[in-house]
Amino acid sequence: MTSVTSAAAMKLLDVRLKHAGSIVSSAIGEFTSSTAGLQEIVCIRAGGTIDLYRIVISQVGGGDKANVDNGDDDDDDEVQTTLKLITRLETRSVLRSICSVRVSGGKRDVVVVGADGGCCSIIDFENGVAKVLHCPAFGKVGCRRDTPGQYVASDPRGRAAMIASVEKRKLVYVLNRDAAGEVTLASPLEAHRPRTVVFDLVGVDNGYDNPIFASLEVQYLDHEDAVLSEKKRISDLKIKEENGQVGSNDSGKTDATLGRYGDGFTKQLAYYELDLGLNHVSRRWATTTHRTACCLAAIPGGADGPSGVLVGGEDYIEYVHEGMTPPPLPPGFEGAKKIPRRLISAIPRRELHPSSKGILITTITVLRQKKGKFFALAQSELGDVYKITLQVSKEDKSVVTKMTVCLLDTLPIGIGLNISKLALLFVPAEFGDHCLYQFDAIDIEGSAVTCTSEQTIAAYLKGESRASSSEDDEEDLFYASPENAAEFAPTFRPTILRNLHKVFTLDSLAPVTSILVGELAGNEVSPQLYALCGRGPTSSFRILRHGLSITELAVSELPGIPGAVFNVRDEKSGKNGKFYDRYIVVSFADATLVLSVGETVEEMGKESGFLTTEPTLACSALGNGDKGGGICQVYPGGVRHIQRGSVSQWHVPGIKKIECASANESQILIALVGGELIYFELDPLSGNLMEAATRDVGADVCSLDVGAVPKGKSRSLFAAVGCRDSTVRLLSLAPGSLLEQKSSTALGTTRPHSVALSNDLDSDTTGEITLSVGLDDGSALRAGVDPITGAISTSPSRRFLGARPVAVSRVTLQGSPATLLLSSRPWIGRGSSSGKGRHAMAPMSYAPLDHGCSFSNEAVKEGIVATSGNTLRILSVGDNGGSDVVLGAEDDEAFNSNRVALRYTPRQMCLLSAKISTPGTSSAAAQSRKILLALVESDYNDFGEEEKKTMGFDGTGQLNKSSSKKKTGDSNRDVDDEAMDLDDESDDENTNMEEKKEVGDDDEEDEEDNEARVTPIRGPFPSEPGRWGSCVRLVDPADGCTTLECIEMNRNEAALCCASVRFHSRGGESLLAVGTTTGMTMNPLCHNSSHVILYRVVNGERLQLLHRTQVDDGPVLSLVHFQGRLLVGIGKTVRLYEMGKRQLLKKCELRGLPTMVKTLQAAGDRAFIGDMMQSIQYVRYDATANRLVLVAKDRSPRPITCQELLDLNTVAVGDKFGNISILRLPRGADVGAIDVTGTRALWDSSREDATPKLETLCNYHIGEVVTGMTRASLVAGGAESLIYVTVTGRVGALVPFSSREDVEFYSALEGFLRTEAPRPTGREPQAYRSYYSPVKHVIDGDLCDAYSQLPYEQKQKIAERLDRSVGEVMKKLEDTRNALL
């Protein structure tokens, strides 16, 4: 522990291991190119990153279509839809809102971003590169209520954008283009309105008239006006009483009941018009809306629709537009006295939802299909998605006469809905994984659960009239009551997806509530990260492993232990410029096995032409596919050329043997014993191999590689040769200087085991060549090679991979070149996807491999064929055919995860050590230890599992399939082919969202289709507060975290914390202590009772209840083992318990803590108490007096969320504002805490100024709420770091520096980058990291990583100021990250 908290280590480096998974907002459009039909999604994430994803539709076994349908592709190929990360932009700011806009005259969209930098940023992603077009400042930095940035909206015609604050201020920017076609931004026009709170903002589509923006807002009065208004109301009421004019309802009829403009809660929809002629913004029109309205969506206007706005609120969706006429009366109510003024429709409700609670619509989006045709999708707070259609008058297309709302499906709760032109729906989830769905049907009005505006207006007209209310007030009161909506709205039970199916999942850990690091699986090298993730039905327990996930496609036994494996391309299988493999060649010590690749893999004999009685040193298909170049095989006695059924051989002269060889499509290089090299080339005219050059390198050769032929070239220009004198030499293969040495590098005391040359850019442009060397000591060396001179860089990067010599080979990953490195653990590495970032390397989560190479056929587009022992294995990287690989994806570390579904929201977990007795034995020696994990889960406003079953609720939706089928009609319905068609005037004719027919019945769907249709469903909502669902789960991490037992808590009892405790009275047996609270409500915070429950683990399989102890003084939120006893945080009290026979026995306590005990940790006789509002309280136990003594506390109030002890005197804490601080007890502060003499007065020790204060060693603003941290090492035997997780799903590490040189380097680099790094939102990096308190002794690793993204000129400028080269700076950054992982 001293290594973490030494003097040098108090300078920390923040290293991000995994980006935040939570998405704040998103927009869909065409951002990178004007290519027809290209659909992309831009997302702003917590932590200040902007991600751009492209929707890629590809055919398994074929090429990527990238949204465009290829007529040459085989119709029988399976279509795969994925989201591909194009670019990631770091802003180092708090991103608040985003919208897309296509400026007039453009064919691409740009994005407008609102952040906390006090600027309006317009960003262009042309060709996948982010460029800030404009970033004008308009206000102060920070997320202030009167600083614009919370809402952004654009004119649908691309002429203007409005950015608004939560209160008062709105600014309008006019967008245009100059003579050069560049986007211009005019000075902002003010549309401020005092005492106005904005809830949503949207641009109204009114054709090419003046741009209009719709704002959902509330106007409130000044305090003085409010007081005068209340006095006037009371005075008027008294006058009426004196005159006897008070009715039965007047006393209760107040502004709070009916709502009045300016009362602070009556919402209005206001139109703000931008007059392009006068260059002025005015408030054009306003009307009152539903009091619970919270979201808006614009309806297409002009020639495309009636224009207007959809307003979503509780239980209803309303259509509003300026100048609209009252809706027509429903059939049968032509003579009604009431005249409805609102075109409004109720939404279908769930059967088990209480009638006293409304259902809030949280988001609405509209898709324009073709001219005059459109639809909208809306999602409720329960996750139900509704389709909304508007019916217009036949006489006047601008008049809406009817609204229809029908249930589409139930999806995870999202922060938005993004509908693509490709019949896809992207739902960025509020919590959990983000999903991409394919539409199966959209024209569902005749078969789905439906509610119309006619039914809603008819229900209002049937209602009783109130004589004392006006018609407007009466209508408002009717729609304000959830009971009224529950009376007539149709009901349904949620089921599995019926009109959508999931095609892709974007992983997200958010929210993470706790983390634990350790090697608990029992058979792995590196430790795993165990995280509690999700909320409600999307809760999960994730096991993260550093590395890439591997899918094992085939395993077969071999007749012996192979020495090498090769692939031979089939020159006749070219498809879309790509070739598949024809043979797999396995070399043994004295033989060669040739396997033919087709629909099946079969062994070949002499018909293959290979010499099977000798080992194979190298083999390759010759030629570029246009001519039959044949196949070459290199064996110890010579070179064999197999061409058109004939075989020609070149034999080694004399008694020499070939020691090693390498070959590509046109070049062969062999090394004889003694160091002689012989080079062959393929004659392009005759197709024969010709001996071109020989050379003696003067040392025995142990490995060599001629490299791959670059695309568009006929040869590789260099060859790498590894010699036994511990050198690697680079030889020229250019025609004028064959085998001429260009450069060399010395390896020290170790020898090269294998070498490989790879091109970083697989394109026509000449990119840098990378030399990878596998060493005998288990390390891998990587260096850059100048493509012109062949000079090897002077600062190669070296990394230890394992205990075995490293074998290096070239493979393909996501269409780009990569390197496979095999040691005691397989690794894979490749350059950044953007071409400017760092080289990424990650282990593969698979068993050790001996030899490997790339593999490709029609079934496996990008695979690896490898050997392990006497088995041959075919593998693919990733779980979705490589589409989910993040290696090299904009500096994100590669983690693969396994998930275990949970019942409720996970709160805490702890480790348990259980004794396991061998059956049939009774001796103590036969007992072994087993490590288990205990999890506590609980959900507020939820029922327990048994209550849900009693109510008939099924969370999977499977039981409701048959009943739903009866309600929704025939599932084999024919859908109108034009239901999802897009506008004929769109850029791409092939991007029409054509409707598909459902094929087959649900009962006949295969298992894969069922998995794509399973959706999380929230349980019934209780009608009264204080209801909880909770359980305690015991899992076995050594068996894939399978659940051993799950104990459901009593009714309304919530398990909130747990801990492992070893009581001295129980002989040190590990027991599970669980803190529970019954009937707790959040507002106000109160509860009925609290308990501490003790369980023991029986034979490592189940939990046995020992006893329950009721406690008072507040809810139990934290537990910790303390000197053979249990220390419990109960409200404002910390209490120490000893175990008794029937309950826990209270020993001592410390009362009067500031607010509520949130976290507890203990070491020796000391305890660190984290208060919910007042930071850390340091307590020491006085054993002589049996009391807990407050020793010191923090001088700054911090709302603690988590803490981790670094040593006996130092603690790291995270707070609710996204800060991490490290606090230390001052030297000698605890000496006077315990008075052993008894002479000191009690009032002297209780004075506030007499309590020592903790010293603040480090301060750093993460930007996301830190929910868990632990001190651990991510590499076996590596140095410890502080690993933390955030509520938004980020995983990071605070790495202590081990030398003064590192501190000086990173401090200087950070200082230079603070001025040189781009600021997309205008936020200054140091100010962002000092959001709440000045940054102290922590280096911003994200800012340092931005060095690799800078242009080369800026890199060189900074490197010169650091007295280093660019390569040395990049190597330093990479070595620091490699030391952590």
Side-chain angles (χ1 to χ4, degrees):
M1 289 189 290
T2 57
S3 62
V4 177
T5 57
S6 61
M10 279 299 97
K11 270 281 191 176
L12 304 174
L13 174 66
D14 177 36
V15 178
R16 177 171 49 200
L17 303 178
K18 190 174 180 63
H19 279 79
S22 178
I23 294 178
V24 178
S25 183
S26 62
I28 192 167
E30 301 170 3
F31 301 102
T32 60
S33 174
S34 58
T35 302
L38 202 63
Q39 288 282 282
E40 291 154 333
I41 300 171
V42 59
C43 307
I44 57 175
R45 292 184 181 268
T49 60
I50 303 177
D51 290 352
L52 180 65
Y53 292 93
R54 178 177 298 161
I55 301 176
V56 177
I57 300 178
S58 59
Q59 291 181 336
V60 178
D64 291 347
K65 295 198 296 182
N67 305 160
V68 181
D69 197 5
N70 291 332
D72 297 336
D73 291 332
D74 190 357
D75 294 337
D76 296 334
D77 289 340
E78 179 185 353
V79 176
Q80 186 180 58
T81 305
T82 59
L83 290 177
K84 180 181 179 182
L85 179 63
I86 302 300
T87 186
R88 172 170 285 154
L89 177 63
E90 296 286 346
T91 65
R92 289 169 289 278
S93 60
V94 178
L95 300 177
R96 306 167 70 185
S97 57
I98 191 173
C99 74
S100 63
V101 56
R102 180 167 298 188
V103 184
S104 302
K107 294 184 178 180
R108 292 182 300 102
D109 299 317
V110 297
V111 296
V112 183
V113 179
D116 67 335
C119 302
C120 178
S121 300
I122 299 181
I123 303 175
D124 187 12
F125 291 98
E126 185 176 7
N127 298 324
V129 179
K131 178 183 177 182
V132 180
L133 301 180
H134 298 280
C135 188
F138 51 70
K140 298 179 180 179
V141 299
C143 296
R144 307 169 187 266
R145 66 177 187 174
D146 60 345
T147 300
Q150 185 66 30
Y151 305 100
V152 173
S154 63
D155 172 46
R157 307 294 174 175
R159 297 167 295 174
M162 174 179 278
I163 183 168
S165 62
V166 175
E167 185 175 354
K168 181 183 177 181
R169 298 184 64 191
K170 302 181 185 71
L171 298 174
V172 177
Y173 288 90
V174 179
L175 302 172
N176 216 324
R177 293 186 182 272
D178 56 14
E182 299 295 330
V183 178
T184 61
L185 195 67
S187 299
L189 304 176
E190 295 184 353
H192 303 335
R193 190 167 183 84
R195 304 187 307 277
T196 300
V197 179
V198 179
F199 288 85
D200 202 3
L201 190 69
V202 71
V204 179
D205 188 355
N206 62 336
Y208 289 97
D209 292 340
N210 284 334
I212 294 178
F213 297 92
S215 173
L216 185 63
E217 55 191 35
V218 165
Q219 181 91 9
Y220 63 90
L221 298 174
D222 281 337
H223 177 69
E224 294 81 2
D225 295 339
V227 172
L228 293 176
S229 177
E230 182 66 16
K231 288 182 178 180
K232 184 177 183 304
R233 187 189 66 81
I234 296 176
S235 176
D236 293 343
L237 186 61
K238 289 182 178 180
I239 293 175
K240 288 184 179 181
E241 289 178 352
E242 293 175 356
N243 297 333
Q245 299 176 355
V246 178
S248 59
N249 295 327
D250 281 352
S251 59
K253 179 181 150 184
T254 64
D255 288 349
T257 303
L258 298 179
R260 293 289 184 270
Y261 174 67
D263 55 13
F265 55 84
T266 298
K267 292 181 181 174
Q268 284 201 329
L269 179 69
Y271 277 10
Y272 290 84
E273 180 183 13
L274 168 62
D275 193 319
L276 294 175
L278 300 177
N279 203 28
H280 173 70
V281 182
S282 60
R283 194 171 193 258
R284 170 172 172 167
W285 172 79
T287 184
T288 58
T289 63
H290 196 265
R291 286 179 52 189
T292 59
C294 65
C295 57
L296 303 175
I299 298 298
D304 300 325
S307 186
V309 175
L310 287 178
V311 183
E314 267 192 10
D315 299 319
Y316 299 95
I317 297 174
E318 183 179 4
Y319 170 77
V320 182
H321 190 38
E322 180 185 10
M324 63 178 294
T325 59
L329 295 175
F333 291 88
E334 289 76 5
K337 296 181 180 180
K338 300 179 184 178
I339 301 178
R341 61 183 177 88
R342 292 183 172 180
L343 183 61
I344 190 171
S345 174
I347 61 174
R349 298 169 62 95
R350 294 191 182 184
E351 286 186 3
L352 301 178
H353 194 78
S355 60
S356 60
K357 292 187 178 294
I359 301 175
L360 183 67
I361 296 295
T362 57
T363 181
I364 308 178
T365 188
V366 178
L367 177 69
R368 182 175 68 93
Q369 298 165 279
K370 55 170 47 177
K371 185 176 295 185
K373 191 171 184 180
F374 60 90
F375 70 90
L377 294 182
Q379 188 177 39
S380 71
E381 60 181 331
L382 302 180
D384 302 319
V385 179
Y386 305 94
K387 181 191 174 187
I388 306 163
T389 55
L390 299 180
Q391 181 178 326
V392 297
S393 173
K394 296 181 179 179
E395 294 78 14
D396 188 356
K397 298 298 183 181
S398 63
V399 177
V400 179
T401 59
K402 182 180 178 182
M403 182 194 303
T404 303
V405 179
C406 52
L407 176 70
L408 181 69
D409 262 321
T410 300
L411 302 178
I413 302 173
I415 52 94
L417 300 172
N418 302 115
I419 310 176
S420 167
K421 298 176 182 179
L422 305 166
L424 297 169
L425 173 65
F426 177 65
V427 182
E430 182 181 13
F431 293 111
D433 296 337
H434 316 294
C435 300
L436 184 66
Y437 297 90
Q438 176 81 48
F439 281 96
D440 293 332
I442 193 61
D443 192 10
I444 58 176
E445 283 79 3
S447 56
V449 181
T450 304
C451 185
T452 65
S453 58
E454 292 180 347
Q455 297 174 351
T456 305
I457 296 174
Y460 160 64
L461 297 177
K462 290 180 183 178
E464 296 181 0
S465 300
R466 294 177 175 84
S468 58
S469 301
S470 65
E471 288 189 4
D472 291 350
D473 292 342
E474 187 174 347
E475 193 172 9
D476 292 339
L477 287 174
F478 177 84
Y479 293 130
S481 173
E483 288 84 357
N484 293 335
E487 288 180 0
F488 68 90
T491 60
F492 65 94
R493 288 201 174 192
T495 67
I496 63 173
L497 301 179
R498 302 187 59 81
N499 302 304
L500 300 165
H501 70 272
K502 184 164 54 178
V503 294
F504 185 77
T505 300
L506 199 62
D507 285 342
S508 171
L509 300 181
V512 185
T513 56
S514 183
I515 187 173
L516 189 148
V517 179
E519 206 299 283
L520 306 181
N523 55 357
E524 299 182 14
V525 178
S526 299
Q528 305 90 40
L529 282 74
Y530 297 86
L532 301 181
C533 308
R535 188 187 71 171
T538 61
S539 300
S540 63
F541 179 50
R542 305 282 184 103
I543 304 97
L544 300 177
R545 292 175 174 86
H546 178 230
L548 300 174
S549 60
I550 300 298
T551 302
E552 187 179 85
L553 303 176
V555 178
S556 60
E557 295 288 334
L558 294 175
I561 303 297
V565 62
F566 308 96
N567 66 318
V568 178
R569 186 193 64 194
D570 187 358
E571 60 186 20
K572 299 179 182 179
S573 65
K575 184 177 181 181
N576 298 328
K578 298 182 180 180
F579 295 88
Y580 298 137
D581 291 335
R582 181 180 180 183
Y583 297 122
I584 297 175
V585 180
V586 185
S587 174
F588 297 91
D590 56 355
T592 295
L593 176 65
V594 182
L595 302 174
S596 174
V597 179
E599 294 183 359
T600 60
V601 178
E602 299 177 353
E603 182 179 349
M604 299 288 290
K606 294 181 179 180
E607 65 272 16
S608 65
F610 279 81
L611 184 63
T612 59
T613 58
E614 293 284 342
T616 299
L617 302 179
C619 66
S620 174
L622 300 177
N624 294 321
D626 51 351
K627 295 183 179 180
I631 300 173
C632 73
Q633 177 191 13
V634 182
Y635 59 96
V639 179
R640 190 178 180 93
H641 186 195
I642 309 164
Q643 185 180 27
R644 299 185 183 95
S646 63
V647 176
S648 59
Q649 297 193 91
W650 177 90
H651 296 282
V652 177
I655 61 173
K656 290 187 177 182
K657 295 292 184 181
I658 300 176
E659 192 165 1
C660 54
S662 176
N664 58 25
E665 293 90 335
S666 60
Q667 299 162 295
I668 302 174
L669 184 63
I670 63 175
L672 305 183
V673 176
E676 182 181 357
L677 299 179
I678 303 178
Y679 173 64
F680 299 87
E681 272 193 0
L682 179 69
D683 187 350
L685 298 179
S686 64
N688 298 324
L689 283 174
M690 308 295 293
E691 183 177 342
T694 61
R695 173 187 171 91
D696 192 342
V697 296
D700 288 341
V701 177
C702 55
S703 59
L704 53 83
D705 181 52
V706 294
V709 178
K711 186 177 180 180
K713 306 294 181 180
S714 60
R715 69 176 69 230
S716 172
L717 296 180
F718 302 101
V721 179
C723 303
R724 297 191 187 278
D725 59 355
S726 300
T727 61
V728 175
R729 310 179 188 191
L730 206 67
L731 306 183
S732 172
L733 298 181
S737 56
L738 285 175
L739 300 185
E740 178 183 328
Q741 181 171 323
K742 293 295 185 181
S743 59
S744 65
T745 182
L747 305 177
T749 59
T750 185
R751 292 179 179 177
H753 181 75
S754 58
V755 293
L757 288 171
S758 60
N759 301 302
D760 283 353
L761 293 180
D762 189 15
S763 64
D764 295 339
T765 57
T766 302
E768 186 179 80
I769 301 173
T770 300
L771 170 64
S772 301
V773 183
L775 306 179
D776 283 342
D777 63 356
S779 300
L781 183 141
R782 181 180 54 83
V785 177
D786 189 285
I788 306 299
T789 64
I792 301 176
S793 64
T794 57
S795 55
S797 175
R798 190 166 177 171
R799 184 169 186 175
F800 180 76
L801 302 185
R804 285 163 36 180
V806 179
V808 184
S809 60
R810 290 183 299 273
V811 294
T812 302
L813 187 63
Q814 288 187 325
S816 61
T819 306
L820 179 66
L821 305 101
L822 303 179
S823 181
S824 56
R825 187 178 186 186
W827 292 69
I828 196 167
R830 72 170 181 181
S832 172
S833 58
S834 63
K836 296 194 301 182
R838 60 180 176 84
H839 184 276
M841 185 182 295
M844 299 162 60
S845 297
Y846 197 70
L849 302 175
D850 301 327
H851 312 279
C853 65
S854 62
F855 176 77
S856 177
N857 68 353
E858 293 185 0
V860 184
K861 183 179 176 183
E862 293 178 349
I864 296 173
V865 56
T867 64
S868 178
N870 64 339
T871 60
L872 181 71
R873 303 166 186 246
I874 298 178
L875 316 170
S876 69
V877 181
D879 294 329
N880 297 321
S883 59
D884 56 348
V885 178
V886 296
L887 182 62
E890 301 297 334
D891 298 342
D892 213 352
E893 284 296 336
F895 282 91
N896 68 90
S897 65
N898 297 331
R899 59 178 297 162
V900 178
L902 302 180
R903 189 176 295 177
Y904 308 103
T905 302
R907 302 291 176 173
Q908 266 190 20
M909 61 178 167
C910 67
L911 285 173
L912 293 173
S913 177
K915 293 182 179 180
I916 303 177
S917 301
T918 305
T921 60
S922 59
S923 62
Q927 292 184 344
S928 59
R929 289 281 180 178
K930 184 177 182 180
I931 302 298
L932 303 175
L933 275 171
L935 287 66
V936 293
E937 312 165 29
S938 58
D939 267 332
Y940 184 52
N941 278 336
D942 202 357
F943 292 102
E945 192 72 10
E946 294 299 326
E947 292 178 279
K948 292 178 183 178
K949 291 182 180 179
T950 304
M951 300 168 67
F953 172 78
D954 175 35
T956 63
Q958 299 285 347
L959 297 180
N960 301 327
K961 284 174 61 178
S962 58
S963 61
S964 175
K965 191 182 303 181
K966 295 177 182 178
K967 290 185 178 182
T968 58
D970 187 9
S971 63
N972 294 329
R973 59 185 178 275
D974 291 339
V975 184
D976 183 10
D977 289 338
E978 298 182 356
M980 294 286 287
D981 284 348
L982 293 179
D983 192 349
D984 296 334
E985 298 176 357
S986 62
D987 295 331
D988 182 21
E989 296 179 358
N990 295 323
T991 57
N992 293 338
M993 300 169 64
E994 297 181 357
E995 191 55 48
K996 303 176 179 63
K997 297 181 180 180
E998 291 190 4
V999 180
D1001 195 81
D1002 286 336
D1003 296 332
E1004 300 175 357
E1005 290 178 343
D1006 57 8
E1007 183 179 355
E1008 183 179 353
D1009 187 60
N1010 282 332
E1011 291 179 359
R1013 295 184 182 277
V1014 171
T1015 183
I1017 301 174
R1018 193 206 186 282
F1021 205 96
S1023 57
E1024 68 277 354
R1027 301 301 296 263
W1028 289 81
S1030 181
C1031 68
V1032 177
R1033 187 184 301 267
L1034 188 67
V1035 299
D1036 184 5
D1039 189 21
C1041 288
T1042 56
T1043 299
L1044 300 177
E1045 187 175 18
C1046 186
I1047 301 177
E1048 192 76 15
M1049 292 286 100
N1050 296 333
R1051 178 173 295 186
N1052 297 340
E1053 184 176 21
L1056 301 178
C1057 58
C1058 64
S1060 174
V1061 58
R1062 298 172 181 268
F1063 290 102
H1064 289 167
S1065 58
R1066 294 281 298 190
E1069 180 185 4
S1070 181
L1071 303 179
L1072 174 63
V1074 179
T1076 67
T1077 302
T1078 304
M1080 185 170 69
T1081 59
M1082 298 299 179
N1083 188 20
L1085 184 60
C1086 59
H1087 67 286
N1088 297 332
S1089 61
S1090 297
H1091 294 83
V1092 177
I1093 309 175
L1094 280 185
Y1095 296 94
R1096 68 181 295 261
V1097 182
V1098 180
N1099 201 29
E1101 296 177 349
R1102 61 184 182 88
L1103 294 174
Q1104 178 184 3
L1105 176 65
L1106 295 180
H1107 54 62
R1108 298 166 57 94
T1109 303
Q1110 183 170 350
V1111 298
D1112 50 9
D1113 294 334
V1116 179
L1117 299 182
S1118 54
L1119 304 164
V1120 70
H1121 169 82
F1122 186 80
Q1123 293 190 334
R1125 296 175 180 177
L1126 181 63
L1127 190 63
V1128 184
I1130 312 168
K1132 299 182 180 181
T1133 303
V1134 175
R1135 192 171 296 162
L1136 189 63
Y1137 283 97
E1138 180 62 86
M1139 185 176 181
K1141 292 184 178 181
R1142 295 187 177 182
Q1143 66 175 15
L1144 295 175
L1145 305 177
K1146 182 169 65 175
K1147 291 300 179 182
C1148 65
E1149 64 181 16
L1150 177 65
R1151 291 178 172 269
L1153 293 173
T1155 55
M1156 187 171 293
V1157 178
K1158 178 65 174 62
T1159 58
L1160 274 176
Q1161 280 190 303
D1165 62 346
R1166 308 177 180 189
F1168 285 86
I1169 303 171
D1171 191 81
M1172 192 169 285
M1173 293 299 294
Q1174 295 296 324
S1175 192
I1176 291 293
Q1177 317 287 319
Y1178 175 41
V1179 172
R1180 187 172 178 182
Y1181 176 63
D1182 184 1
T1184 58
N1186 189 28
R1187 65 188 184 115
L1188 295 169
V1189 182
L1190 179 64
V1191 175
K1193 57 185 177 181
D1194 190 11
R1195 64 178 73 250
S1196 301
R1198 310 176 199 270
I1200 299 297
T1201 56
C1202 59
Q1203 68 179 55
E1204 175 67 14
L1205 283 180
L1206 303 183
D1207 59 25
L1208 290 176
N1209 299 316
T1210 313
V1211 62
V1213 298
D1215 60 36
K1216 292 181 181 178
F1217 299 129
N1219 303 305
I1220 286 183
S1221 305
I1222 296 182
L1223 310 174
R1224 174 176 285 176
L1225 183 71
R1227 187 184 300 272
D1230 59 339
V1231 175
I1234 299 178
D1235 181 23
V1236 295
T1237 63
T1239 59
R1240 189 174 59 189
L1242 288 177
W1243 50 83
D1244 288 341
S1245 61
S1246 62
R1247 286 165 39 201
E1248 178 69 21
D1249 57 352
T1251 305
K1253 301 298 187 292
L1254 298 174
E1255 298 175 351
T1256 303
L1257 300 183
C1258 300
N1259 261 335
Y1260 187 71
H1261 179 66
I1262 299 294
E1264 306 159 49
V1265 180
V1266 180
T1267 54
M1269 57 176 63
T1270 181
R1271 190 186 72 248
S1273 171
L1274 297 180
V1275 180
E1280 285 187 335
S1281 302
L1282 185 64
I1283 312 299
Y1284 65 86
V1285 292
T1286 67
V1287 71
T1288 54
R1290 167 173 169 155
V1291 181
L1294 292 177
V1295 182
F1297 288 111
S1298 57
S1299 66
R1300 185 174 297 276
E1301 178 190 357
D1302 292 346
V1303 173
E1304 293 174 353
F1305 169 79
Y1306 275 99
S1307 298
L1309 179 61
E1310 183 188 33
F1312 295 144
L1313 287 172
R1314 284 174 179 171
T1315 57
E1316 297 292 338
R1319 303 176 183 178
T1321 60
R1323 195 74 162 109
E1324 203 277 321
Q1326 186 176 10
Y1328 175 68
R1329 296 304 180 189
S1330 306
Y1331 221 108
Y1332 293 94
S1333 57
V1335 62
K1336 183 178 181 182
H1337 291 172
V1338 181
I1339 303 297
D1340 187 354
D1342 292 347
L1343 183 60
C1344 294
D1345 287 340
Y1347 177 83
S1348 61
Q1349 304 293 332
L1350 296 176
Y1352 184 78
E1353 293 76 12
Q1354 283 185 276
K1355 288 183 183 179
Q1356 194 170 24
K1357 177 183 175 182
I1358 295 175
E1360 290 175 355
R1361 298 168 71 179
L1362 292 171
D1363 294 330
R1364 297 171 184 254
S1365 66
V1366 174
E1368 290 173 343
V1369 176
M1370 296 289 291
K1371 178 178 180 296
K1372 187 69 174 178
L1373 294 173
E1374 186 175 337
D1375 289 346
T1376 303
R1377 185 177 287 267
N1378 292 345
L1380 174 63
L1381 294 170

